[in-house]
Amino acid sequence: MAATNHGGRAQPPKPWLKRVGWLALIWVASVAALGVAALLLRLLMGLAGMHS
């Protein structure tokens, strides 16, 4: 079933490359955010005197 807009006309499906691109962008952003959080935790632990 094709998606329709408010006018009742069917919209063409979005290209798969664009959808996969958004998926990859969101994944990269989430991995980067997790890396920043881990770096901050490591910095705070170092300041608290917890060294490995």
Side-chain angles (χ1 to χ4, degrees), residues 38-51:
L39 189 63
L40 287 174
L41 281 173
R42 200 170 164 189
L43 178 66
L44 289 172
M45 289 173 68
L47 290 174
M50 302 172 87
H51 298 284

Side-chain angles (χ1 to χ4, degrees), residues 6-34:
H6 293 294
R9 292 179 290 177
Q11 296 176 345
K14 293 183 180 179
W16 68 271
L17 188 59
K18 189 173 184 177
R19 288 184 283 173
V20 171
W22 274 108
L23 178 68
L25 180 68
I26 292 169
W27 179 79
V28 167
S30 64
V31 169
L34 185 60

